[in-house]
Amino acid sequence: IQTLIHWKLDTFVHVIHIVFVCLQMGYANSQQKAAGIHTRLFSRAFIVDDGNQRVLFVTADIGMISQRLRLEVLKALQEKYGDLYRQENVVMSGTHTHCGPGGYFQYTLFMITGNGYVKESTEPLVNGIVKSIDIAHRNMRPGRIYVNKGELVDSSLNRSPHSYMNNPEDERKRYEKNTDKQVVVLKFTDLDGDGIGMISWFAVHAVSMNFTNRMVSSDNMGYASYLLEQDKNFGELPGQGSFVAGFSSSNLGDVSPNTRGPHCMNTGLLCDYLNSSCPVGGTKMCKAFGPGEDMFESTRIIGHNIFMKAKELYANAVHEVTGSVQFAHQWVNMTDVTVQLNDTHTGRTCKPALGHSFAAGTTDGGGDLNFTQGAVEGDPFWDGIRDALLGPPSNQTKDCHHPKPILFSTGEMNWPLPWHPSVVDVQIITIGSVAILAIPGEMTTMAGRRLRAAVKKELEAAEKFKNAEVVIAGLSNVYTHYITTFEEYQIQRYEGASTIFGPHTFAAYLQKFTNLARAIAQDKVSELPVGPEPPFFTNLFNLMAAATYDAKPENTSFGDVLDQVNSIYRQVGHLLRPEMFLKVSSCPCCFLQRDKTFVTVEMYDNLTDSWEVVHNDASWETRFHWLKGSNRRSNATVEWHIPSSAPSGLYRIRHFGHYKQLQGLQTIITPYEGSSDIFRVVSSFYHQ
């Protein structure tokens, strides 16, 4: 099998612009407008070719793949490569960080929560993903693939155990835990055995960085990638080096990384088990935390755990993947699928709708209003407001979604555009005996287990798929919220209320994916109907205000340092107090900073009499904050959390940007930079 895995968003740069011009995608919190960089976001592309067919798998550090994003990437690939990369053989998966950009959707609900369709968000994402594919395409070479799997404990928690417990007892007894602890790794090497890269799948929400964070961040999964790539590309800056480590989402629908569990913030006591609420403060007071003391420490711990397990599995992977590459894809109108429930009964999927518990949020980020999880009855107050503003759901939709009390009947709301997708992708790609299921949403633990088992059974009916390894790639191709089992749906916690196509949503997907698996196993993919194509809307709306021009105080220049560094600092590792300096800055949204960085930490090299960049704004050790002030003025704050491994020596911190001004009728964008004073880092203040 020929393979190459590559790579990232234009040397760590392409997504940074988006985070300053739009809401972050994930928590649907209108206050979470990005204003800084914790870690950069990357796209990682993996191409596998058996000499006859090829498949492309992309994992991107964003909340989810939207239908619009996928369609625009496929359009760009068509223009470059013709039919080489197309909807049938390309899978795009989001890591599900909740601290990435919004604004790249074409359906009304997501546009409302992301300030519309923001071209300044979407174009960098499209360009970055396509560039990662370009680099992979150029660098393909013969290689080998190995598969390994193991278990990772103490890094995930089921956030809706009440729903999980409604699954059949005999089914639950087959599994020791109520979340999947399985980690699956694909290891890629060249013919000499030198490592090229790897993909890892593990089921956990990327919500260690909570809804109070306003810095763009790849969260725990991105940190795992960062650690493994830094380990394999020793001495390289983030986003550089030949080894590529992709950590992909899986059936994470009911899985939280906040392993201390939900507690009432005002009392410290456990939240109500059934509804995840508190006696005083309701759902807003019920939050899950841990394992660290704050979100940065929790992100570090969970990400490090995922990294260590993947590194172990990679090192010990000896089972070689052989065989051919295959794929099957269909578009499905998920509002109109007939499901065979048993020999005598059928069910149907529904037009999309969200239930009351959707507005309650989860213990990883609760809603602001008086909704609670587990609601199986409507609320006259909120239903009255809905009816007055949006219109009531039809009786047919209410009956179809029972027992869900409908809050938003999005499938019956089409102004100014449909509120939810109807046509979705179902897709499987196989690499030898490894099958990757592209799931268009967030599948719960038990739903994922059932689907993997069913697809494995279909594949293994064919001789060539003995001992098939089936993995769930979540948040792929188009976003349709959650996918619970029928039994979990009855409880109507957040996940069930967000299963938009009704109680038989999972059964419909199970039916569709097993049909794809059967077609692959029996070499009958060509007989599958293509299905109805999704729309590509042109009349999208944008709620973002245009970027303003930049200003500065009199007698200052952009890049001036307002609060200088000290002359000496000690290596203090993870427990240090952030050291920072301020600059007269501009809004980062005026320039994309392509192939550049907003921040560098530089060390003086005595041998070459030059400054060497040791960290940039993609490094875990740095943080870049942007603060918008009055009268179009703004400041930037740079933090360097000095690691204990930092060599003693002379350092400086530099900040780069562009400011926007109007000269006559012409807009002028001008680069600027600033630098801290030189300071010394020592191992001890007493031994300099």
Side-chain angles (χ1 to χ4, degrees):
I1 297 178
Q2 286 186 320
T3 176
L4 187 77
I5 319 133
H6 234 281
W7 228 145
K8 299 154 182 161
L9 294 179
D10 195 8
T11 329
F12 65 80
V13 187
H14 281 285
V15 262
I16 190 55
H17 177 50
I18 19 181
V19 302
F20 294 105
V21 297
C22 63
L23 295 172
Q24 291 176 288
M25 188 66 201
Y27 292 110
N29 186 330
S30 61
Q31 301 304 311
Q32 197 187 19
K33 297 177 181 177
I37 308 168
H38 176 224
T39 54
R40 289 272 184 166
L41 310 182
F42 293 92
S43 170
R44 296 169 173 91
F46 301 76
I47 301 171
V48 182
D49 191 305
D50 65 1
N52 182 40
Q53 296 194 119
R54 69 174 52 186
V55 291
L56 165 60
F57 182 84
V58 174
T59 176
D61 290 333
I62 53 178
M64 61 283 289
I65 302 298
S66 75
Q67 187 175 82
R68 182 60 176 230
L69 180 61
R70 174 170 167 83
L71 291 175
E72 293 201 21
V73 169
L74 289 173
K75 182 180 178 182
L77 292 176
Q78 169 71 30
E79 292 173 357
K80 279 194 170 189
Y81 299 106
D83 291 333
L84 186 59
Y85 303 111
R86 55 201 187 277
Q87 71 268 7
E88 294 97 333
N89 67 344
V90 174
V91 173
M92 297 172 56
S93 177
T95 61
H96 205 36
T97 174
H98 284 44
C99 300
Y104 57 98
F105 294 79
Q106 68 170 4
Y107 292 97
T108 299
L109 180 72
F110 305 122
M111 285 195 282
I112 289 174
T113 57
N115 273 344
Y117 174 82
V118 182
K119 190 176 180 180
E120 295 85 353
S121 290
T122 308
E123 283 189 352
L125 286 175
V126 172
N127 294 339
I129 290 171
V130 170
K131 183 162 186 177
S132 71
I133 297 167
D134 289 341
I135 300 173
H137 178 85
R138 288 197 305 267
N139 288 280
M140 290 187 71
R141 61 187 187 269
R144 292 188 171 92
I145 304 176
Y146 302 86
V147 64
N148 199 6
K149 63 180 179 180
E151 288 201 342
L152 174 60
V153 297
D154 300 328
S155 297
S156 58
L157 183 80
N158 194 305
R159 69 186 188 188
S160 285
H162 182 45
S163 296
Y164 180 88
M165 289 297 292
N166 206 44
N167 290 306
E169 182 180 6
D170 61 339
E171 182 180 38
R172 288 186 279 110
K173 285 183 176 179
R174 298 177 209 158
Y175 306 99
E176 184 179 350
K177 304 291 185 181
N178 63 2
T179 62
D180 275 341
K181 307 300 181 181
Q182 177 178 281
V183 179
V184 177
V185 164
L186 282 186
K187 174 181 179 178
F188 299 85
T189 73
D190 61 19
L191 292 180
D192 294 327
D194 294 329
I196 300 173
M198 57 133 274
I199 316 175
S200 174
W201 288 271
F202 177 60
V204 69
H205 256 83
V207 291
S208 293
M209 298 293 292
N210 64 42
F211 64 92
T212 66
N213 171 54
R214 292 190 61 199
M215 292 185 291
V216 66
S217 175
S218 57
D219 212 285
N220 47 45
M221 298 296 275
Y223 185 52
S225 289
Y226 172 86
L227 288 174
L228 191 52
E229 289 177 352
Q230 291 289 285
D231 182 72
K232 297 294 184 181
N233 301 319
F234 185 76
E236 298 280 3
L237 291 171
Q240 301 180 22
S242 60
F243 189 92
V244 183
F247 285 77
S248 182
S249 59
S250 192
N251 53 319
L252 50 69
D254 51 359
V255 187
S256 171
N258 296 309
T259 52
R260 291 188 189 179
H263 290 76
C264 295
M265 293 190 295
N266 47 5
T267 65
L269 300 176
L270 290 172
C271 302
D272 175 78
Y273 174 77
L274 299 181
N275 305 114
S276 296
S277 61
C278 299
V280 178
T283 56
K284 194 171 183 179
M285 278 290 140
C286 177
K287 302 295 180 189
F289 296 96
E293 294 302 318
D294 59 28
M295 60 182 169
F296 298 100
E297 183 70 1
S298 292
T299 301
R300 187 190 66 80
I301 293 171
I302 297 298
H304 187 266
N305 291 348
I306 298 170
F307 151 70
M308 288 296 292
K309 176 54 67 172
K311 182 180 178 181
E312 171 197 327
L313 294 173
Y314 177 91
N316 297 312
V318 295
H319 179 71
E320 187 169 1
V321 177
T322 60
S324 62
V325 165
Q326 295 179 267
F327 46 83
H329 171 278
Q330 284 183 301
W331 283 305
V332 177
N333 180 0
M334 277 297 293
T335 70
D336 188 26
V337 178
T338 300
V339 178
Q340 193 67 45
L341 301 176
N342 53 43
D343 292 339
T344 59
H345 290 77
T346 61
R348 294 190 69 81
T349 55
C350 315
K351 291 182 178 181
L354 291 163
H356 275 244
S357 294
F358 162 77
T362 73
T363 56
D364 293 325
D368 290 329
L369 303 173
N370 63 333
F371 292 90
T372 58
Q373 295 193 70
V376 292
E377 293 183 0
D379 181 286
F381 175 76
W382 292 113
D383 288 347
I385 293 176
R386 174 207 61 205
D387 293 350
L389 295 177
L390 303 172
S394 67
N395 290 333
Q396 181 182 7
T397 297
K398 287 192 290 187
D399 291 343
C400 189
H401 280 268
H402 182 79
K404 177 196 293 179
I406 294 175
L407 182 62
F408 300 121
S409 183
T410 54
E412 298 175 313
M413 297 158 61
N414 295 296
W415 187 88
L417 290 166
W419 280 50
H420 265 142
S422 297
V423 176
V424 306
D425 298 71
V426 292
Q427 184 180 20
I428 298 176
I429 61 174
T430 62
I431 303 169
S433 60
V434 178
I436 300 170
L437 314 187
I439 306 301
E442 306 179 51
M443 192 165 271
T444 61
T445 298
M446 192 61 84
R449 287 169 171 170
R450 287 185 193 175
L451 182 58
R452 285 200 305 264
V455 168
K456 181 179 175 70
K457 181 179 178 181
E458 288 292 343
L459 292 175
E460 290 182 344
E463 183 71 20
K464 60 185 176 182
F465 283 106
K466 281 191 173 180
N467 300 314
E469 187 64 52
V470 181
V471 295
I472 301 287
L475 292 305
S476 293
N477 297 343
V478 55
Y479 185 61
T480 61
H481 296 269
Y482 284 74
I483 305 164
T484 67
T485 66
F486 178 85
E487 294 84 357
E488 292 164 347
Y489 184 91
Q490 307 307 307
I491 303 301
Q492 280 298 294
R493 281 180 62 86
Y494 175 81
E495 295 82 11
S498 304
T499 297
I500 62 173
F501 298 115
H504 301 303
T505 298
F506 170 71
Y509 281 124
L510 182 69
Q511 187 169 284
K512 293 296 180 181
F513 276 97
T514 52
N515 287 344
L516 295 182
R518 189 178 307 119
I520 290 174
Q522 298 177 2
D523 293 322
K524 295 182 177 179
V525 172
S526 61
E527 299 177 13
L528 290 171
V530 174
E533 289 194 27
F536 189 90
F537 297 120
T538 57
N539 54 332
L540 305 177
F541 59 86
N542 185 350
L543 303 177
M544 286 296 303
T548 59
Y549 301 106
D550 297 301
K552 59 182 177 58
E554 291 185 10
N555 302 317
T556 64
S557 299
F558 288 102
D560 282 355
V561 178
L562 304 181
D563 185 7
Q564 269 293 358
V565 294
N566 297 330
S567 60
I568 189 168
Y569 294 95
R570 185 170 63 88
Q571 302 157 335
V572 288
H574 293 299
L575 299 179
L576 79 162
R577 178 176 62 87
E579 308 297 349
M580 60 189 73
F581 68 108
L582 303 175
K583 293 179 172 296
V584 179
S585 183
S586 65
C587 174
C589 63
C590 74
F591 194 76
L592 290 179
Q593 291 289 90
R594 294 185 186 276
D595 301 308
K596 297 181 184 294
T597 176
F598 284 103
V599 174
T600 59
V601 178
E602 302 175 6
M603 183 180 181
Y604 182 71
D605 188 330
N606 289 302
L607 294 177
T608 62
D609 189 26
S610 62
W611 291 93
E612 177 188 358
V613 176
V614 293
H615 298 293
N616 55 33
D617 65 8
S619 300
W620 174 263
E621 294 83 359
T622 63
R623 296 175 193 169
F624 171 63
H625 303 269
W626 173 71
L627 177 64
K628 180 181 179 181
S630 60
N631 300 320
R632 302 196 306 275
R633 298 173 182 175
S634 56
N635 283 344
T637 303
V638 178
E639 301 177 11
W640 178 32
H641 293 237
I642 306 173
S644 56
S645 59
S648 298
L650 298 177
Y651 290 84
R652 68 182 182 186
I653 298 175
R654 300 176 74 196
H655 166 52
F656 305 87
H658 289 74
Y659 62 90
K660 181 179 180 181
Q661 291 185 320
L662 188 65
Q663 294 183 6
L665 298 177
Q666 186 177 8
T667 298
I668 304 296
I669 295 177
T670 307
Y672 72 89
E673 61 181 72
S675 178
S676 73
D677 289 342
I678 297 171
F679 58 95
R680 183 179 295 276
V681 171
V682 298
S683 58
S684 170
F685 288 138
Y686 302 103
H687 298 89
Q688 297 181 23

